[in-house]
Amino acid sequence: MKRIIPVVVVNEINDTVKILEALIKDGINCAEITFRTECAEKAVALAVKEFPDMEIGAGTVINAEQCRRALDAGAQFIVSPGLSEEVAVVCAQSNTPYYPGCVTPTEIIKALSLGITTVKFFPANVYGGLNALQALSAPFPQVKFIPTGGVDDGNLREYLSWDKIFAVGGSYFTDRAVKKWTE
Ligand code: 3PG
């Protein structure tokens, strides 16, 4: 089954439970908590403790230090907007899946050389969406993609219908769930 990876931005640590409960009510059991707010690390730790049945990852992880903090907090997967070799090394050491952002053939070749075959494609709407992914896939049939950026109801179904999609990511899923269940 194809997966949904909601991008979660926690501005206030007290919002963590409310956001994740809304996602669960929407049938989503995964969350990428982004390391772009002060409380991200605490939010990951809280989410891992309070929601043991969810797959909790850390996103916007751009260096080894952040990656170590995310893993110490219990993150089960790591996502970056681009490809960071140092993050890849830390993840490999702890056997944690790492999904780096790759939008060019050169970046995909780099990911493959690091042993990574599933990459984030970000920002998917700007870099050509599904058309671009299908063109990139020709030379890289072994690669699976996580399109993220501008994903919404208008393009979700077409992404999900293609077999090279590992998962679809975005803040859309979080916003939708929070709006539906908490407002
Ligand atoms: C990310 O970090 O992956 C992006 O901020 C998600 O982009 P979106 O808000 O357009 O889904």
Side-chain angles (χ1 to χ4, degrees):
M1 198 185 92
K2 300 224 173 63
R3 297 193 305 162
I4 300 290
I5 304 181
V7 171
V8 175
V9 181
V10 181
N11 289 304
E12 295 286 338
I13 189 70
N14 292 336
D15 290 342
T16 313
V17 168
K18 177 181 82 178
I19 296 170
L20 296 191
E21 277 175 348
L23 288 170
I24 289 171
K25 283 185 187 157
D26 253 4
I28 296 173
N29 68 348
C30 171
E32 173 194 329
I33 297 178
T34 53
F35 260 58
R36 63 180 89 155
T37 61
E38 282 284 313
C39 63
E41 187 179 346
K42 280 193 180 139
V44 169
L46 182 65
V48 169
K49 182 166 160 267
E50 297 293 328
F51 298 89
D53 295 335
M54 283 186 97
E55 194 179 356
I56 303 296
T60 326
V61 172
I62 58 171
N63 57 48
E65 186 259 339
Q66 278 184 336
C67 186
R68 283 192 203 96
R69 287 201 283 125
L71 294 175
D72 286 348
Q76 291 144 21
F77 64 92
I78 301 291
V79 185
S80 299
L83 190 157
S84 163
E85 279 191 68
E86 60 181 42
V87 170
V89 168
V90 174
C91 286
Q93 282 164 353
S94 65
N95 228 356
T96 303
Y98 174 45
Y99 308 122
C102 295
V103 293
T104 66
T106 303
E107 290 162 356
I108 293 173
I109 289 170
K110 187 80 206 169
L112 290 172
S113 75
L114 292 163
I116 295 162
T117 53
T118 300
V119 301
K120 173 171 175 164
F121 184 69
F122 171 78
N125 53 340
V126 174
Y127 281 101
L130 188 59
N131 282 345
L133 281 176
Q134 288 176 333
L136 277 172
S137 180
F140 302 112
Q142 70 275 54
V143 174
K144 297 252 179 182
F145 297 95
I146 307 172
T148 309
V151 172
D152 59 23
D153 259 345
N155 52 27
L156 178 60
R157 198 163 301 180
E158 70 168 14
Y159 280 128
L160 288 176
S161 66
W162 189 44
D163 68 336
K164 295 301 168 81
I165 298 295
F166 174 77
V168 178
S171 58
Y172 166 73
F173 307 104
T174 314
D175 296 344
R176 185 181 65 180
V178 168
K179 201 168 185 347
K180 189 160 149 198
W181 298 106
T182 72
E183 284 173 11

